[in-house]
Amino acid sequence: VSFKEAVFGASKDLHLRYQVRNPSTGQVEVKERDVTVKIPTGIDSGMNLRLGGQGAEGDPGAPKGDLLVQVIVDDDDYFIRNGYDVHTEIPISVTQALLGGTVDVETLSSNVEVKIPKGCQVDTKLMLRGKGIQKLNSKTTGNHVIHLKIEIPKSISSRQEELLREFDEETKKSGNGLSGRLAGAVGSAFSNLFSNKEKSDEKDKTNSKEEGGDEDESVKKEAAQ
């Protein structure tokens, strides 16, 4: 069954093909018939449904046996199921993580606007209580867990770089640095942009010192002569 059919319940038509032994002739006969199976709300992979009297024919005068149906639920591209809870990943920007904001989240029943708190870390999780899957044979439901995924831009403009440098300087002055993990994530995205220029500046300084040293040696030699 599909993920949504398992969550909300459904009816499925099954075509049965099975073998029975004819008690009169002793020969094996193949029989076919259709059965409608009601999928209850909240069922999960690995659970079995028992349909009484829907199995194979028994001995003469005996009732039919039961039909056991094993349920296999397909994965969903968006929702990840864990028991009766569902998990989703929601991308947010760096500025949203720092300053807070709102984001639209698709739940099992509708779209809701979720508030993002200021100073979100890499592994920040938000919980929507009661927005998960209804428990089997119960009216209670699980929760919807939102995993905030901070997306780091692969490239930035010169103005963005300038602002980031100012932000870095202000961070050093105020002492209100980012968390270790977030600082590492930001650094990995922008290190290539900044390190090349810093290395170039260091190289220029080194060359300048070497040239100055050569001039001093020439002066000393001339004075000695």
Side-chain angles (χ1 to χ4, degrees), residues 12-224:
K12 302 287 288 186
D13 292 329
L14 301 182
H15 181 71
L16 303 182
R17 182 183 174 88
Y18 56 98
Q19 295 179 339
V20 295
R21 184 178 296 276
N22 189 316
S24 300
T25 63
Q27 295 180 344
V28 176
E29 299 177 354
V30 177
K31 293 191 174 184
E32 298 184 43
R33 59 190 171 90
D34 295 326
V35 176
T36 299
V37 180
K38 183 178 180 181
I39 307 298
T41 299
I43 200 165
D44 202 357
S45 284
M47 293 182 177
N48 295 321
L49 297 175
R50 180 184 293 272
L51 279 67
Q54 295 292 336
E57 292 80 357
D59 295 332
K64 290 183 179 181
D66 296 337
L67 174 64
L68 294 179
V69 179
Q70 186 178 46
V71 178
I72 299 176
V73 182
D74 295 334
D75 292 332
D76 189 79
D77 294 333
Y78 177 70
F79 296 101
I80 299 176
R81 180 171 181 171
N82 182 16
Y84 293 103
D85 294 336
V86 292
H87 298 251
T88 57
E89 272 193 358
I90 301 298
I92 62 173
S93 67
V94 176
T95 49
Q96 282 180 311
L98 290 171
L99 304 178
T102 60
V103 65
D104 293 330
V105 176
E106 178 187 352
T107 69
L108 292 172
S109 57
S110 62
N111 287 339
V112 297
E113 187 178 66
V114 177
K115 183 179 179 180
I116 302 172
K118 291 182 179 180
C120 286
Q121 305 302 305
V122 174
D123 291 330
T124 295
K125 300 175 185 178
L126 306 177
M127 181 177 293
L128 301 177
R129 297 192 179 278
K131 291 292 186 179
I133 300 171
Q134 182 177 330
K135 296 183 179 181
L136 192 64
N137 301 322
S138 174
K139 293 184 178 180
T140 60
T141 57
N143 303 314
H144 183 156
V145 183
I146 302 169
H147 299 255
L148 296 181
K149 183 180 179 182
I150 303 174
E151 293 202 344
I152 309 299
K154 294 182 179 180
S155 61
I156 57 175
S157 66
S158 57
R159 176 57 178 159
Q160 288 174 315
E161 178 180 342
E162 180 183 354
L163 292 172
L164 283 169
R165 289 181 178 277
E166 292 179 7
F167 176 82
D168 185 62
E169 288 298 323
E170 183 60 29
T171 300
K172 292 177 182 178
K173 293 177 182 178
S174 64
N176 296 324
L178 299 177
S179 69
R181 296 192 64 182
L182 187 57
V186 175
S188 64
F190 301 127
S191 58
N192 291 334
L193 296 171
F194 296 155
S195 60
N196 291 336
K197 185 173 182 180
E198 291 173 353
K199 289 178 180 179
S200 177
D201 293 341
E202 291 178 0
K203 186 175 181 181
D204 292 341
K205 291 180 181 179
T206 302
N207 291 337
S208 177
K209 289 180 180 180
E210 290 178 353
E211 291 175 359
D214 292 340
E215 291 178 359
D216 291 342
E217 289 294 329
S218 298
V219 173
K220 289 179 181 178
K221 289 180 180 179
E222 291 177 0

